[in-house]
Amino acid sequence: MPSPLSAADLIKSNEQAPGKLFEFQAQLPKLPVPSLEETLPKYLRTVEPLLSAEEFAQTKRAVEEFAQSAQGKELQKRLEARAAEPGRTNWLEEWWTELSYMGYRDPVTPYVSYFYSYKDDKKRRKNTQRAAAIVRAAWEFRRQVATRELAPEMARTTPLCSYSYNYMFNATRVPKRPTDYEATYDLAQNEHIAVVRNNQFFAVQMVHNGQLLSAAEIESQLDRIIAEADSSAAVPVGVMTSDNRDLWADNYKLLSDAAPENVATLERLQSAAFLVCLDSAKPVTREEIHRVFWHGDGANRWFDKSLQFIVCDNGRAGFLAEHSSMDGTPTCRLNDYILDQTLNDKVDLGSSSVRSDLPQPEPLRFVTPPPVVRAVDQAAERFSKVTGQHQLRVLQFEAFGKDELKRLGFSPDGFAQMAIQLGYYKLHGKNRATYEAAATRRFAHGRTETCRSVSNESVAFCRTFEDPAASSSDKLAALQAAVRAHGAYAKACSEGKGVDRHLLGLRLLLRPGEEKPAIFKDPAYAASSHWNLSTSQLSSEHFEGWGFSEVVPDGYGIAYTIRRDAIIFHIAAMINDFGLNCDHLGQYIKEAASEMRAVALAEKLKQAASAPKL
């Protein structure tokens, strides 16, 4: 049975576990509660560039009133008391998991999950051969997690929290009204993977007679699955996992109640180490490839599984993560490891022979009476409607990457953020609220804080670059100031000193019947967190990009990867009456990045020409 352990149970077991992975866990500091004196002036600086002078004056009055009020001090006192409660690891954790993930009822795909697109493996063109190598590498990473041999992640010399590794393997999200939950399974007792092909699920035991299956044996098992699945058809039950969470919770019960066999099938599927999706698709263009890994056809998936490795018939491969209990940095590490191992011939493939006594893969069949079939059909219709309402552009910007940006004196992330800001400004004529995810994993159970990318400096930079009268030196100075401001705010966020999580905590501690303070009723509070641009960076030299969706109907979702020689932007938005255009935004981001680089290079050449000759 699944084991939905409490946070206290898990962290206790982590501290007692031998090995490297959790060696610093007990020493990690708690997520701090910033003071009002820190947060409120910072909040004003973040909203000022988004407001008119009159609007900002109103917001400033509301903030000053809150700072001086007894209510503001009382809410701060309550939050500090919550953070200091014995046994509470992180004051934000339960709220954030509930509000952003488990209590969120829109479909996890496309709205919550995120994907990685892998570089091609030219040595493994056959789909099952590539999938087998990926499975072997992933299984070795799993072994290191299970034994705690895996070293904890470090930010230079600062250890990062390893807590989310509990939810990496043998884990799944489970639908339930009014809020979902995460189920984890014992790794030692569940040494199987799940595989799906042509909407049909199978289990493959990874250990036979005490010996791990070799890559050749895994490939043989996957070939067997394809042969069996492609010669038959099944009701695509997996598409129900793409649905609104309340509808899926109802249909989960419907499926479970339809037959006892379905309960056993769900248990076997959910307890698997991970899911391998063998897709019949053969995507070629970047947009086709990203579409497959982002959502596919909706049927050849189980979107609740924490890890899904996707391999297409033409050998293209990628990964899809369920976001509820894991952010991108641990899964980026996992996938970077897998690709380093497989693309650079480091993976241990085992023996090239295939044992003759391997058992057949175990079919995981669902009993699907008419009510279940109707539910599946309806979920499929909703999936097609939701994904059909989305547009996508992949911008593979290959003119330069992080190596050149560092030589020019820029933070690569800050430069990319300003390219997004200037591109948006070119298209829409103004700057709007922008979210960039900043990791807070230096704290126990830390996840993310909002890095607000729009600043007075970033707005001045956009206006300067679009001013035909501005000189090259003025433009460079504005760009450098904007990147510095972004870097300073990002650093504060990583230290738990952003504004969004603190203000959220204060607001959530209002008690029934208490009046909402003016700061939270002020239109600027909602407007400054209406993320017209939701952005995030995860980078690996082995990725051909990654992606997720927008978070508001009139906004874009922009995931980007900064490689040594390229920057890859995945730009997503809805097709609706707001008239957003991912193709146009991609073009303007490309223009912006080129202009920014040209200015920096011109000034560098000018400085070199004016330097004294020896």
Side-chain angles (χ1 to χ4, degrees), residues 511-575:
R511 293 169 181 164
E514 290 183 339
E515 184 178 356
K516 184 184 289 187
I519 186 175
F520 298 128
K521 293 188 288 187
D522 176 37
Y525 179 70
S528 69
S529 55
H530 181 87
W531 307 117
N532 295 95
L533 286 165
S534 176
T535 73
S536 185
Q537 183 218 151
L538 283 171
S539 293
S540 165
E541 292 299 312
H542 305 304
F543 290 176
E544 293 286 5
W546 72 293
F548 49 78
S549 80
E550 76 294 331
V551 297
V552 293
D554 57 340
Y556 298 94
I558 304 181
Y560 56 102
T561 293
I562 306 175
R563 297 200 314 226
R564 294 185 64 186
D565 59 351
I567 308 175
I568 306 168
F569 297 89
H570 165 100
I571 307 168
M574 293 189 72
I575 302 169

Side-chain angles (χ1 to χ4, degrees), residues 355-380:
R355 286 170 281 179
S356 59
D357 63 342
L358 284 183
Q360 287 284 339
E362 173 192 352
L364 302 179
R365 296 192 177 97
F366 288 102
V367 177
T368 54
V372 171
V373 174
R374 283 195 296 273
V376 168
D377 289 343
Q378 291 164 1

Side-chain angles (χ1 to χ4, degrees), residues 258-306:
E261 300 96 312
N262 288 353
V263 176
T265 295
L266 283 167
E267 180 80 3
R268 194 78 169 132
L269 174 58
Q270 293 173 325
S271 63
F274 47 80
L275 176 63
V276 176
C277 307
L278 298 174
D279 278 19
S280 60
K282 298 178 181 179
V284 175
T285 69
R286 294 185 180 102
E287 283 76 16
E288 288 173 347
I289 292 166
H290 278 220
R291 282 277 187 186
V292 168
F293 302 144
W294 187 18
H295 54 71
D297 66 2
N300 209 54
R301 301 283 184 275
W302 195 266
F303 289 113
D304 289 357
K305 279 298 289 180
S306 57

